[in-house]
Amino acid sequence: MDAKEAGRQDPLEWHGHRIVTEDDLAYSFPGPTDKSSRRRRKWRHAIHGVVLGFLLLLVTASVAGAYLLMTGYMVIPAWEHKPDPAASAEISGCPRDVLDYAKPDSATVNVYNGTRIPGLAKKVAEDLQRRGFKIGEVGNRTLSNTSIIAAVVSGTEGRTAALTVQRHIKDTEYVSDGRIEGSAVDLVVGRKYVGLVDKERISTEEGRLSCPRDD
């Protein structure tokens, strides 16, 4: 090959073979800026957004559910207390002793929703608190018969407070649960609860407790 022919030779050829350059590689193997790569990135971003949105929704629902359970607006049957003699109003007798009416602020009342009516325990607790009663626990409890106004439950020391509660809620049924100590009263509210007795109609005279099978 003479000098003239060598000058005309393609610089990208070497002994009859073409030399692969960066431009050739870029054309044959597209880099991260091609359209398919951009579509993949957009798809990943979309998936991440959906996952984050779902997690946010799950956290929000969990917080809302916890609030509704704590306030008594939502009832989960599996979490309710099992039926017991006190709550189911199954008693062997009724106290016959005459009791004095006590001031509401001397009585502590635990209020339980015995139905599936959302927020019932909270509402009744607020009604009693406005009357001056001290409110203890507010939650859910099972009644075998929900078609009552309410069951008033206490031990011997709580009978006076139970009488006071009965004077504020007409036609409740007293149940003795045999607790040895404590004057607190449990109020398990049924479906027929409609509200408290008007203040001016409340009797403050001494009297007996009203039981399901009172004679």
Side-chain angles (χ1 to χ4, degrees):
M1 175 185 301
D2 57 23
K4 185 178 293 185
E5 289 178 346
R8 292 197 300 269
Q9 185 178 5
D10 189 345
L12 298 180
E13 291 187 2
W14 178 258
H15 294 287
H17 299 284
R18 180 175 175 79
I19 300 173
V20 178
T21 65
E22 289 185 10
D23 293 337
D24 295 329
L25 290 173
Y27 179 81
S28 300
F29 303 98
T33 58
D34 67 319
K35 292 183 179 180
S36 62
S37 177
R38 287 196 296 271
R39 284 197 297 269
R40 285 194 296 270
R41 285 200 301 271
K42 289 181 179 179
W43 179 245
R44 285 197 298 270
H45 291 163
I47 293 176
H48 292 164
V50 171
V51 172
L52 289 176
F54 175 75
L55 291 176
L56 180 60
L57 180 63
L58 185 62
V59 171
T60 303
S62 299
V63 172
Y67 172 78
L68 292 174
L69 284 173
M70 288 187 296
T71 55
Y73 278 104
M74 183 171 66
V75 178
I76 298 180
W79 291 6
E80 293 182 354
H81 295 284
K82 294 181 179 179
D84 55 50
S88 60
E90 296 174 356
I91 63 173
S92 58
C94 185
R96 303 305 300 165
D97 45 332
V98 177
L99 304 167
D100 292 327
Y101 175 86
K103 293 182 178 180
D105 60 8
S106 66
T108 298
V109 185
N110 301 315
V111 184
Y112 301 100
N113 185 352
T115 75
R116 302 191 187 282
I117 301 174
L120 182 59
K122 182 175 182 292
K123 178 184 183 304
V124 177
E126 291 173 348
D127 291 344
L128 291 173
Q129 192 171 38
R130 282 191 287 267
R131 287 288 175 91
F133 287 93
K134 298 176 182 177
I135 302 301
E137 183 177 349
V138 178
N140 303 311
R141 195 166 177 180
T142 301
L143 276 172
S144 62
N145 177 18
T146 61
S147 298
I148 63 172
I149 292 174
V152 180
V153 187
S154 81
T156 303
E157 294 182 11
R159 289 178 181 175
T160 299
L163 175 72
T164 304
V165 172
Q166 285 197 315
R167 295 290 176 83
H168 285 258
I169 306 175
K170 186 179 180 181
D171 295 332
T172 58
E173 302 175 355
Y174 176 76
V175 180
S176 177
D177 66 352
R179 67 185 74 177
I180 299 176
E181 297 180 354
S183 59
V185 174
D186 294 346
L187 178 67
V188 189
V189 187
R191 290 191 290 110
K192 291 187 177 180
Y193 174 84
V194 294
L196 303 182
V197 176
D198 293 338
K199 279 186 176 182
E200 58 273 13
R201 295 185 178 181
I202 296 173
S203 172
T204 58
E205 301 294 328
E206 62 182 16
R208 293 189 177 97
L209 292 164
S210 175
C211 301
R213 291 188 292 272
D214 196 2
D215 52 18

